[in-house]
Amino acid sequence: MASLTKEAEDRVVSLLLAEGLADPNLVGSIKVQAESAGKPVLAELIAGKLINEDMVARATAAIIGVPYVELKNITIDQDVLSKIPGDASSRVLAVALGEKDGMLNVAMVDVTNVQSTDYLSNLINQPIRVWMSSERGIREVLEQYHGDFSSVKEAVDETNEEIAEENANSNVKTIVQDSPISKALTTILSYAAKTKASDIHIEPLENSLIIRCRIDGVLRKIMELPKTVAPALVSRIKILSNLKIDEHRIPQDGQFTVLVDDQEIDLRIAISPVTWGEQVVIRLLDKTGVSMEIEKMGMSGRALRDVLNGIKQPNGMILTSGPTGSGKSTTLYALIQQIKSEQINIVTLEDPVEYKMDGINQIQVNVDAGLTFASGLRSILRQDPDVVMVGEIRDSETAGLAVQAALTGHLVFSTLHTNSAAGILPRLLDMGIEPFLLASTLNVVIGQRLVRRITEKREMYKSSEVETKGINEIIGNLLPQDKESVAKVSEDLGYSGLPVKNDDHYMLARGVNSKETPGGYKGRAGLYETITVDEDIQKTIINHSTANEIMRLAKEKGTITMRQDGMLKALSGITTIEEVNRVASDLS
């Protein structure tokens, strides 16, 4: 808020009252209290929620004769934002709006602070014209600095100069800790961490280098660099990952840890030779940004009850399946979090250890040293475990050992790569597991995928004819058939306030598109289907039934499929029908 004299404050209050923006009686009461306590009147009115910052800023601008700009939901081009460095913008609470007539228009909170305006003008070496905005509006724009790659561009220019100089003087390039390319890599990693990206893709083309980030499961191009930067950038990543810098013919895998905003983030590195150079994929593992509560991840209703019953058993297997990046490991961690206690010994075998958890003995697979899933599992069974988690069942030997562990009184958690929960059963049979062993050891199998969540800023709309038809076809038999059954059905399915089945339309939500929430989405939720392996399912396993036959029986017994779960989430305002169709259109 701008620094105002008492006279100016009174004029602002009078203007707000004249425009009918505040209750005169309440304002008068708080004003008397503030003056007697020697406190600023406007601050007390804002604290009492009689007015807000935007109202004060607009009125103040009118009083002191400065133009006002509303910055809510405004996206400013990065080239314009970068005219004022991010740290200076945060310190002074000022952001660049654009140039006109040789002057830079700048929005500020305290436009009366002459020292701040002089500082900014000298910093950018350009005259400025100030506009007033609220602190909330300024801070909303400051969030857009997450995508400020001006330092990368500077690093690229410096690196190109270094390359040109080295070409003239030497064939050897030394990359030091404070080199421009190190700063560029730090900026890219910081952006990915702040936007909650799960992966960074550095991809060489014939004449350029593309940087893409996977945010909420969708890849987005964030920048394009000159091809000349590629060797230095890849070499820097190799150095940090302890990989061979001079090896360009075969894939290499590594890892290292970075500190972003005082949080450690583990990075898994995969480098592969491609047509135009070397491709780098960086997986970001940030346990602080991941919920370890199964309910918050999106599991509810019948699926949640099946899983909780399954992990209460003293022995047996709980298996989860889905494509790469569908959150299988996170689900297992959440389930282990549910049962973790001082009374039981939990040992995990992972490749890699993604989330470090206290009270659990976690073992990292090391194939080069001979520590595979199979050999590690043999060792674990000699360590008196109660619960064993195997990161992934990849081969027949590991599958056989996991089944034997379940038969000998252990609770075993693991994952497989299949399209659905029912697909787990034929997959294990293909690995050579005897049907009668499989039938007697499996407690529950889980299928899952991830959909993007609708952001908090949203709007409601009536479903189209096609959407209504799809909802009725997929979950019409699950929805309440009358108002009297809404509460009972909603409780059973785990989604509050489900609508009564309607052949006309349903009310759906969609998020507001913005730079911070592209497409109107932010964060992800799981779609789940679970199958409890009871006597009837056991018989189908022994008879070598197909995945479709097993799923058909499971649905008759009450299983909610992933696609049905997605439609229920769409009706509950968690995601959209478009997102469900994108992720689960291949499922029944």
Side-chain angles (χ1 to χ4, degrees):
M1 195 187 308
S3 302
L4 299 175
T5 63
K6 184 178 183 305
E7 180 184 358
E9 271 200 339
D10 289 340
R11 291 177 64 190
V12 170
V13 172
S14 299
L15 181 58
L16 292 173
L17 291 174
E19 294 184 0
L21 298 176
D23 186 318
N25 295 326
L26 294 176
V27 168
S29 175
I30 289 182
K31 186 177 179 182
V32 170
Q33 295 174 16
E35 289 175 346
S36 63
K39 296 180 179 179
V41 175
L42 290 176
E44 292 300 298
L45 291 174
I46 292 173
K49 296 184 178 180
L50 294 184
I51 57 177
N52 59 44
E53 290 182 9
D54 295 318
M55 294 162 59
V56 172
R58 192 183 296 272
T60 302
I63 293 296
I64 63 180
V66 173
Y68 176 82
V69 59
E70 173 61 67
L71 295 179
K72 187 177 180 182
N73 294 329
I74 295 296
T75 300
I76 299 176
D77 188 90
Q78 289 295 327
D79 289 337
V80 174
L81 269 185
S82 62
K83 289 186 177 296
I84 301 177
D87 56 346
S89 282
S90 299
R91 186 165 59 254
V92 182
L93 288 179
V95 293
L97 301 175
E99 287 187 82
K100 187 176 182 181
D101 299 329
M103 301 183 72
L104 182 66
N105 290 306
V106 177
M108 300 180 65
V109 172
D110 191 357
V111 295
T112 60
N113 191 328
V114 178
Q115 288 181 330
S116 293
T117 55
D118 287 344
Y119 163 72
L120 289 177
S121 182
N122 291 330
L123 179 67
I124 64 175
N125 195 28
Q126 183 178 4
I128 65 174
R129 182 188 182 210
V130 295
W131 293 63
M132 187 162 192
S133 187
S134 66
E135 181 175 343
R136 183 174 63 176
I138 295 287
R139 292 196 182 280
E140 187 170 312
V141 174
L142 287 176
E143 289 295 315
Q144 297 175 30
Y145 271 93
H146 288 173
D148 179 12
F149 294 109
S150 56
S151 60
V152 177
K153 295 175 182 176
E154 293 170 6
V156 168
D157 294 337
E158 292 181 48
T159 303
N160 287 336
E161 291 174 8
E162 289 183 0
I163 291 172
E165 184 178 341
E166 286 165 5
N167 286 340
N169 301 309
S170 172
N171 293 323
V172 180
K173 178 167 179 64
T174 302
I175 302 177
V176 294
Q177 185 66 33
D178 58 350
S179 67
I181 209 66
S182 296
K183 297 175 184 176
L185 178 59
T186 299
T187 302
I188 293 169
L189 293 175
S190 178
Y191 170 81
K194 289 176 180 177
T195 55
K196 304 298 182 185
S198 60
D199 302 88
I200 303 169
H201 289 236
I202 301 174
E203 302 166 336
L205 303 180
E206 184 177 6
N207 300 309
S208 63
L209 188 70
I210 300 296
I211 312 293
R212 297 195 291 171
C213 286
R214 189 178 295 279
I215 302 172
D216 292 337
V218 177
L219 275 172
R220 300 177 196 158
K221 177 181 171 181
I222 61 171
M223 66 188 309
E224 185 170 350
L225 301 175
K227 186 65 177 287
T228 53
V229 177
L233 186 59
V234 174
S235 293
R236 181 61 190 157
I237 293 170
K238 286 181 177 179
I239 289 173
L240 293 170
S241 309
N242 293 319
L243 301 178
K244 296 178 181 178
I245 300 177
D246 58 348
E247 180 57 77
H248 307 290
R249 301 165 300 170
I250 61 174
Q252 295 189 78
D253 296 330
Q255 61 185 43
F256 64 95
T257 300
V258 294
L259 193 66
V260 177
D261 293 337
D262 298 325
Q263 296 292 343
E264 283 191 359
I265 298 178
D266 293 329
L267 305 177
R268 285 166 50 191
I269 313 300
I271 301 178
S272 300
V274 293
T275 304
W276 301 112
E278 290 181 280
Q279 179 192 34
V280 182
V281 176
I282 304 174
R283 170 66 59 87
L284 290 83
L285 304 172
D286 178 14
K287 68 179 182 180
T288 60
V290 177
S291 171
M292 289 298 177
E293 296 181 36
I294 196 69
E295 295 92 338
K296 290 183 179 179
M297 291 162 57
M299 188 179 287
S300 61
R302 299 176 190 175
L304 181 61
R305 292 194 294 272
D306 286 346
V307 170
L308 294 182
N309 287 334
I311 64 177
K312 287 177 183 176
Q313 305 304 314
N315 59 278
M317 297 176 69
I318 291 91
L319 303 179
T320 180
S321 69
T324 301
S326 59
K328 301 184 296 296
S329 296
T330 307
T331 296
L332 293 188
Y333 280 113
L335 296 180
I336 285 178
Q337 189 76 30
Q338 288 271 349
I339 63 173
K340 186 179 74 170
S341 74
E342 295 180 355
Q343 285 74 43
I344 61 175
N345 178 24
I346 302 175
V347 185
T348 75
L349 184 62
E350 307 169 58
D351 183 23
V353 175
E354 295 191 12
Y355 305 110
K356 298 175 179 65
M357 299 176 69
D358 293 332
I360 296 174
N361 301 299
Q362 297 173 279
I363 301 173
Q364 167 81 50
V365 166
N366 188 338
V367 177
D368 293 338
L371 179 55
T372 63
F373 278 116
S375 63
L377 188 49
R378 285 195 189 90
S379 173
I380 286 175
L381 296 178
R382 295 192 291 270
Q383 297 175 21
D384 186 32
D386 297 292
V387 177
V388 177
M389 184 185 110
V390 181
E392 183 182 345
I393 294 177
R394 295 177 179 173
D395 52 50
S396 300
E397 187 178 9
T398 307
L401 288 169
V403 169
Q404 291 299 321
L407 283 171
T408 52
H410 304 91
L411 189 60
V412 179
F413 295 86
S414 193
T415 70
L416 285 93
H417 282 90
T418 63
N419 285 329
S420 64
I424 291 177
L425 308 173
R427 179 79 181 96
L428 288 171
L429 293 175
D430 289 342
M431 287 184 175
I433 305 300
E434 293 292 341
F436 68 92
L437 291 178
L438 196 57
S440 60
T441 54
L442 280 175
N443 293 352
V444 61
V445 290
I446 307 166
Q448 68 178 82
R449 296 190 184 182
L450 295 176
V451 292
R452 291 177 290 175
R453 290 181 181 268
I454 299 174
T455 182
E456 291 182 4
K457 295 178 181 177
R458 59 181 62 195
E459 56 186 24
M460 304 301 293
Y461 72 99
K462 291 182 180 180
S463 60
S464 66
E465 184 178 344
V466 174
E467 289 172 329
T468 303
K469 182 180 178 182
I471 292 171
N472 287 332
E473 286 180 353
I474 296 170
I475 58 172
N477 62 317
L478 297 176
L479 293 175
Q481 303 301 308
D482 50 56
K483 291 183 178 179
E484 289 71 23
S485 60
V486 168
K488 182 179 179 180
V489 172
S490 296
E491 182 180 1
D492 176 46
L493 298 178
Y495 296 100
S496 61
L498 288 174
V500 174
K501 182 184 177 184
N502 184 352
D503 293 327
D504 186 16
H505 71 270
Y506 297 93
M507 293 305 298
L508 301 172
R510 57 188 166 211
V512 176
N513 184 39
S514 70
K515 187 174 182 64
E516 291 75 28
T517 57
Y521 299 102
K522 187 173 185 179
R524 289 192 286 177
L527 304 184
Y528 298 94
E529 64 186 19
T530 57
I531 300 176
T532 297
V533 182
D534 58 13
E535 289 186 8
D536 294 329
I537 299 293
Q538 288 175 352
K539 290 177 183 177
T540 64
I541 296 173
I542 292 172
N543 292 332
H544 288 266
S545 298
T546 65
N548 287 337
E549 291 170 337
I550 294 169
M551 180 53 79
R552 193 178 302 116
L553 176 59
K555 288 171 70 174
E556 291 174 3
K557 300 173 78 64
T559 288
I560 304 296
T561 68
M562 281 185 276
R563 196 168 190 197
Q564 288 176 326
D565 190 33
M567 286 296 181
L568 291 170
K569 282 182 166 65
L571 284 180
S572 301
I574 296 172
T575 189
T576 63
I577 289 181
E578 291 83 1
E579 185 69 2
V580 175
N581 289 335
R582 179 183 72 85
V583 171
S585 61
D586 61 322
L587 302 173
S588 59

